[in-house]
């Protein structure tokens, strides 16, 4: 898939969709309702990613973003988001949308820092200037986005 335009940013592994099986008329009403909720969440995430990329003045190629509910990976790494190279991984299990968005923006900030040559090996550790900048940007811009999207406050 082409990652060269904002509309084609890859957002993969909506793992909870796989649990629903193919969407068809044989799904129970609860699964249909759940499918609609998931589709709505996907669209909210995609819209937020597009807004974030524009806000950060991100350059091409845009990162591949993997959305996951893999609790074991999150626990093993002690994190809810990871940025490595041109890939971002975000844990979404048992989290409010605003927290997911904050993590996405934080990791996209790291991607932009990488593009600007701000990250060197060993620069990113808890409390480092690189981490503090990403935390500060995510906190600031989540409030700005939230003014136009109050539904993200669940």
């Amino acid at each position: 898939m082409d990652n060269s335009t904002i509309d084609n940013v890859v957002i993969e592994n909506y793992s909870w969709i796989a649990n629903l099986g193919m969407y068809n008329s044989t799904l129970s009403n609860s699964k249909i309702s759940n499918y609609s909720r998931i589709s709505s969440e996907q669209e909210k995430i995609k819209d937020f990613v597009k807004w974030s990329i524009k806000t950060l003045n991100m350059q091409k190629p845009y990162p591949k973003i993997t959305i996951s509910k893999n609790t074991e990976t999150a626990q093993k790494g002690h994190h809810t988001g990871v940025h490595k190279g041109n890939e971002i991984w975000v844990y979404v299990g048992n989290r409010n949308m605003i927290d997911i968005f904050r993590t996405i923006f934080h990791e996209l900030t790291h991607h932009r820092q990488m593009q600007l040559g701000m990250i060197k090996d060993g620069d990113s550790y808890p409390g480092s200037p690189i981490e503090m900048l990403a935390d500060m940007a995510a906190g600031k811009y989540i409030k700005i986005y939230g003014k136009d999207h109050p539904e993200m406050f669940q």
Side-chain angles (χ1 to χ4, degrees):
M1 183 173 288
D2 178 19
N3 275 15
S4 63
T5 68
I6 290 175
D7 288 333
N8 291 327
V9 170
V10 178
I11 301 178
E12 294 186 334
N13 284 356
Y14 287 102
S15 57
W16 59 89
I17 289 178
N19 297 331
L20 295 176
M22 287 294 292
Y23 178 71
N24 61 39
S25 59
T26 63
L27 291 175
S28 69
N29 285 340
S30 64
K31 284 189 178 178
I32 290 172
S33 172
N34 196 25
Y35 181 84
S36 298
R37 181 186 61 78
I38 290 166
S39 294
S40 173
E41 288 175 357
Q42 284 181 335
E43 288 309 310
K44 287 176 186 176
I45 291 171
K46 286 181 182 180
D47 289 344
F48 179 74
V49 167
K50 290 177 188 179
W51 178 87
S52 298
I53 285 173
K54 288 178 184 177
T55 299
L56 287 165
N57 195 26
M58 185 94 43
Q59 304 301 304
K60 298 174 186 176
Y62 301 121
K64 179 178 94 174
I65 300 173
T66 300
I67 303 298
S68 174
K69 278 194 166 183
N70 186 329
T71 303
E72 184 177 324
T73 299
Q75 290 173 342
K76 196 180 293 182
H78 307 285
H79 51 65
T80 55
V82 177
H83 171 258
K84 285 187 180 178
N86 201 36
E87 296 189 14
I88 292 172
W89 179 90
V90 177
Y91 177 69
V92 298
N94 296 317
R95 298 177 71 199
N96 288 323
M97 192 62 72
I98 188 170
D99 189 42
I100 293 167
F101 285 0
R102 191 208 61 78
T103 300
I104 290 170
F105 199 92
H106 176 102
E107 299 306 333
L108 285 170
T109 298
H110 284 321
H111 189 76
R112 185 65 177 130
Q113 289 169 328
M114 183 190 73
Q115 289 180 337
L116 295 170
M118 295 172 66
I119 299 178
K120 310 276 187 286
D121 285 343
D123 280 355
S124 185
Y125 53 87
S128 71
I130 292 297
E131 288 297 327
M132 288 191 311
L133 180 59
D135 285 338
M136 193 170 47
K140 173 184 177 179
Y141 286 101
I142 203 69
K143 290 177 183 174
I144 292 170
Y145 188 80
K147 285 183 181 179
D148 292 332
H149 302 275
E151 72 279 1
M152 73 176 191
F153 297 97
Q154 302 171 358

